[in-house]
Amino acid sequence: MTQLTVSHTARVAVGQWPTLLPALGITVGLNGQHTACPVCGGKDRFRFDNQAGRGTWLCNQCGAGDGLALVEKALSLSTKEAAAQVAALLGDNPAPVVSASVLQIDQDKVAARLKAATQAQTLVSKAITQTGHAYLVNKGWPDEPALTLNGPPLRIGGETFKQGDLLVPLFDDQGAVVNVQLINASGTKRMLAGGQVKEAAHFFAGESHAVIWLVEGYATGLTVHNLTGDTVYVALSANNLPALAAQLRERFHEAQLLIAADNDENGKGQAKADEAALLSGGKAALPAEVGDWNDVYLLAGDTATRKQLLAHSQPKVTSPFDTLSAADLKDMSASEKASLLEQHYQYRLAMPPIGGELCRYENGAWQTLPDGVASRETAALFQKIRAPFSAAGIGGILDTLKLMVQQMGTPVRQLIGFKNGVFDTVTGEFRRHDKAHWLRTVNSVNYTSPKAGENLAEHAPNFYQWLTRAAGNKEEKQARIQAALFMVLANRYDWQLFLEITGPGGSGKSIMSAIAELLAGADNTVSADIEALESARHRASIVGYSFIQLPDQEKWSGDGAGIKAITGGDAVTIDPKYRNAYSTHIPAVIMAVNNNPMQFSDRSGGIARRRVIITFPEVVEAHERDPRLLDKITAELSVIVRHLMQRFANQNDARQLLQAQQNSDEAREVKRETDPLMDFCGYLSEVSTPNGLYMGNANIIPANPRKYLYHAYLSFMEARGHKYPMNLTAFGRAVPQTLKEYEIMLLKRKTNQGIQTNLILNEDCEADWLPKWETV
């Protein structure tokens, strides 16, 4: 008899295992049914599927393998001993001997596969892409487009699937559709009978194949793909992970292969992940707790889940402090120690053109690294290697580091930063983050392309309902509210405007504020009072943020010099505690949210040129309020972002809408409530030539408010109960600027009776405050 090698024996035995195994005393079922396992004795956990005639099998307890592996395990033999046993049965004739019954089984299986593949291809060709499927809603992806069944009901495995149920195509290694998985609203899943499952998969294509994830379920694959942007293959079964991993390694030799199996209580997912990793040279990447990655996402949210996922795909970061000794550090100069720190931070440090604190590049944005944080992190590195340090010594190293790192460039203004990349508002392209973009802010939203026919009413109904109610069902005001949100999203601090949202409690202002924070990103948002803008000392607390919220500031009264300077793009003084003062620009959008309007004593018009007041006048009754409204709107955020991006593709449209809101009747009424001069000027009308009221002065006796403008002002102030009227000089300077709010140009001429203007009192004065009689 010819001595056969192990591999030769396995090749020769192909097609003969149904007869070889019984001859060796190993009983297997020949129709793929679950039977007792010849290895562990489990009653129904074993299945002999004989893929490609190789004698393949799988057991929920023992794992999986081919015919030779089964002989090895069942008879407790070594690989060589098992091959010898099989070779003895094969004898000197290597030709496969296949019985008629076995041949018929294989032919039936091929026919069933072909039938299933044909049916799958037909179903996929007729499928419709839709969003909002109940299964995906429950999995946290309500806006995700997915293929759905289109046509008559389909009965599979005792379950009926109807039109609109999810349809998940499975592809072979050549990209052909060979099967489908159907999922109904309750999460019940079925695949076509007889269709290929092993080495078939659904996949989500990423930008490259540098990192490939292999997962069990469709929702898990969708979650991993959306949070990482990487290519993901869905095995649809833990049992398929090893074979699919081996196949992917053959196709993608250089890829980092991550096996993101489920963390099962019975250990099955872990075992299959280890087996797949061993076969493919990949790496197991399971959740820390029991469940799958979609469970983690639903519990922890996208940011925390993404961080955990990326931790598996990122190479281990090494630091020079990992191998450095205290003696080595002691002999180094301050510049050498600073160089080590720069290397430790992976050369992701830079200094802004103006300002005294380092910036660190993280998640697509250059974010301020406060001196206190940098000092503590440096101290921790010294402690790690047991090196002595002092506060002064660490301060000297950091000061040296600031002289060594690169200076930051100007942010690319046309780019809007998202979690997963940047959108170019000029070219319309979306691309990856880059340090050279020098962005200081990235919002908390993943950008995806708009969907066909997407609209707010259908795809973001909770946001749409809030918007229409806040705007009093007025389309013009809806557009202006959206323009304000776009200003925050695009970080258009350079429009030299600031937003003031005002109205009674319960009118929806807090929702506006919360949506704005979501668009800007929580890490980019700071809540402050107006003193933080007005005081050089307090301004240190708002440096480094792109969105500044000012809640409940209606009791404040001042000229708003800080707001004017910041929104005007002027450099402002920053005076941090225990540090030297410096000047810098604060590139941030400011939004004040108050029940009552703010009061400004500014008479230069600087505030008026920048203040955009949007009122929310309608109080939502307590029984109508939805306590989960913000959560629901948050789930719609990607739709809101896409809508704003489309609505204001020309960003100047949003700016013009906000400027129109500045001069709206609504805004004027708000200003009249808080500014006596603004209110007084609302009672004035203009004529074409300066033949109206005379300017007058306080020395003219008796007062004649029907003839003299200044007398009318004093009469108005007295009637309204305002105690501190302006003197004539201040009044003369302030009136022309205030009249511009009403689009009135003050004209004057000299006469024998004094300076005459083109202003007259309107008829509302008589009823509201003008005295009924006067002294002549």
Side-chain angles (χ1 to χ4, degrees), residues 125-194:
S125 67
K126 294 181 178 179
I128 295 177
T129 300
Q130 293 180 312
T131 61
H133 189 275
Y135 176 73
L136 292 182
V137 170
N138 291 335
K139 294 296 183 178
W141 299 105
D143 300 321
E144 189 66 30
L147 287 180
T148 58
L149 184 64
N150 181 35
L154 197 61
R155 185 79 175 171
I156 305 175
E159 189 74 22
T160 300
F161 294 89
K162 302 176 182 179
Q163 182 162 316
D165 284 339
L166 283 184
L167 186 74
V168 182
L170 274 68
F171 303 88
D172 63 13
D173 60 350
Q174 302 300 312
V177 175
V178 294
N179 204 342
V180 295
Q181 183 183 64
L182 285 155
I183 309 175
N184 62 21
S186 63
T188 301
K189 305 171 185 177
R190 293 287 188 275
M191 285 182 276
L192 299 179

Side-chain angles (χ1 to χ4, degrees), residues 466-474 477-478 481 500-509 594-596 613-621 625 661 666-667 669-670 673:
W466 166 82
L467 177 65
T468 52
R469 186 157 193 171
N473 293 307
K474 298 176 181 176
K477 189 168 181 180
Q478 288 182 42
I481 292 174
E500 184 176 349
I501 314 302
T502 184
S507 58
K509 304 187 307 300
N594 309 308
N595 288 351
N596 298 304
I613 301 173
I614 301 176
T615 61
F616 284 42
E618 181 185 353
V619 176
V620 180
E621 297 297 331
R625 298 175 193 171
Q661 179 65 21
E666 174 184 86
E669 288 302 315
V670 171
E673 293 176 15

Side-chain angles (χ1 to χ4, degrees), residues 368-391:
T368 300
L369 177 62
D371 285 344
V373 175
S375 297
R376 286 191 295 273
E377 291 182 357
T378 303
L381 293 172
F382 276 59
Q383 288 176 308
K384 178 180 179 180
I385 60 175
R386 300 180 183 277
F389 63 88
S390 67

